[in-house]
Amino acid sequence: MNEAIPKPCKCGNAFVGPTHHFDISSLQTVYHVSCLICGKQGESKDTPEGAIEAWNKEGEK
């Protein structure tokens, strides 16, 4: 199985990685990858890999 790897951000920030927080309103853990420089974000309520895939798809736009 290939592990999902986040691509560097379009703004040039190469230090991005999955993090998570617990959303008290939905009682779910939310995984996300975000750039602290420009604010781009990918998010998934399922897995860290889903957040990375959302991040990489956002970069293709």
Side-chain angles (χ1 to χ4, degrees), residues 44-57:
S44 172
K45 291 185 178 171
D46 300 320
T47 63
E49 291 80 12
I52 293 170
E53 289 174 14
W55 167 270
N56 290 341
K57 284 183 182 179

Side-chain angles (χ1 to χ4, degrees), residues 1-3 8 10-11 16-17 22 27 31 35 39 42 45 58:
M1 184 168 100
N2 292 337
E3 185 176 332
K10 290 190 274 185
C11 75
V16 296
F22 187 75
L27 301 177
Y31 300 92
C35 177
K45 291 185 178 171
E58 181 67 30

Side-chain angles (χ1 to χ4, degrees), residues 13-35:
N13 183 13
F15 187 71
V16 296
T19 59
H20 67 278
H21 73 275
F22 187 75
D23 182 16
I24 194 75
S25 63
S26 66
L27 301 177
Q28 290 184 311
T29 300
V30 178
Y31 300 92
H32 51 91
V33 177
S34 57
C35 177

